[in-house]
Amino acid sequence: MTFELKGPPLEGTLVRLEPLGHRHASDLAAAAEEDRGRYAYTWVPRADEVGAYIDAQLSRAASGRLAPYAQVSLATGRAVGATAYWEPRSWLGDDALDAIEVGFTWLAGSAQGTGVNAEAKLLLFGHAFEVWRVSRVDLKTDARNACSRAAIERTGARLEGVLRNWSRSWAPGEEDRLRDSAIYSITAAEWPECRERLETRVKSAAGTLTPRR
């Protein structure tokens, strides 16, 4: 495949997705420590692990399999989490991207429920479908992660099934175990409806914000 995975900066009204770098480390260290109880099944570094976490993501990026982002709140100018494009696949032509996953997503507790996640998904999905012209976007999560599954389903993504022992577990203490993964997708035909759903959520969330002076 000759498609080169490079995630461009993407900006909305609530969040700016910036290619991840060490300049985001201090913000992410603070964000990751806000509420550790929300990360039972998700890979979120501790504050003193953020540098190594960024190095690991940049190493994956160098392999061409990942385009990692910091999620920067436009209300505060601070990075409040991370996300990524992951595992690009091309089957019909070397220069075309047919499918990609959105994953490695986490947000600080204070940023959850604010519309940041919805807009980040709107930006990532929109670029994938409308610029790269993919046929599908995948999302997956630990099958036990009810909160993550609910958030994915709110985007309009459809559950395709649960694949047993599909990938490594990110749950603390389960580093040597495999997890069951719940697999979701959005196809190009479904994207317009999903886009409308996400736009409505973002507009509603933006309407509740106090304008900055």
Side-chain angles (χ1 to χ4, degrees), residues 3-205:
F3 173 83
E4 184 178 5
L5 179 58
K6 296 289 185 182
L10 301 169
E11 184 167 330
T13 59
L14 304 174
V15 66
R16 180 172 63 253
L17 301 182
E18 299 179 355
L20 180 66
H22 283 282
R23 67 190 181 282
H24 301 113
S26 61
D27 285 354
L28 292 179
E33 293 294 339
E34 284 190 10
D35 185 354
R36 298 296 304 183
R38 297 172 181 262
Y39 305 140
Y41 303 108
T42 305
W43 181 34
V44 180
R46 300 301 307 230
D48 61 356
E49 298 169 340
V50 166
Y53 167 87
I54 293 173
D55 284 340
Q57 294 297 71
L58 294 180
S59 178
R60 289 184 173 92
S63 76
R65 298 177 60 205
L66 184 81
Y69 286 100
Q71 301 194 62
V72 177
S73 166
L74 292 179
T76 65
R78 297 180 65 85
V80 293
T83 191
Y85 286 120
W86 173 234
E87 296 285 19
R89 282 103 66 204
S90 181
W91 299 295
L92 299 179
D94 287 344
D95 295 323
L97 182 66
D98 296 314
I100 197 161
E101 181 177 333
V102 169
F104 288 103
T105 300
W106 63 272
L107 279 174
S110 62
Q112 296 178 26
T114 64
V116 165
N117 182 60
E119 187 168 57
K121 294 298 191 294
L122 177 63
L123 294 169
L124 291 166
F125 296 167
H127 187 79
F129 284 116
E130 296 166 15
V131 178
W132 289 335
R133 312 300 293 180
V134 299
S135 293
R136 63 176 278 145
V137 169
D138 311 331
L139 304 99
K140 67 175 182 285
T141 190
D142 192 306
R144 300 168 293 179
N145 194 338
C147 290
S148 178
R149 292 181 67 167
I152 290 172
E153 288 165 6
R154 284 195 294 272
T155 70
R158 297 189 185 185
L159 177 66
E160 295 188 335
V162 174
L163 301 183
R164 297 176 296 170
N165 292 342
W166 178 250
S167 61
R168 65 161 293 180
S169 174
W170 295 106
E174 295 186 0
E175 290 79 10
D176 60 346
R177 292 179 55 184
L178 297 175
R179 75 178 194 188
D180 296 348
S181 292
I183 310 296
Y184 292 82
S185 71
I186 300 168
T187 67
E190 295 163 348
W191 168 236
E193 180 180 347
C194 291
R195 179 179 58 209
E196 183 176 354
R197 178 196 295 248
L198 288 167
E199 287 173 343
T200 298
R201 289 177 57 197
V202 170
K203 186 178 298 185
S204 176

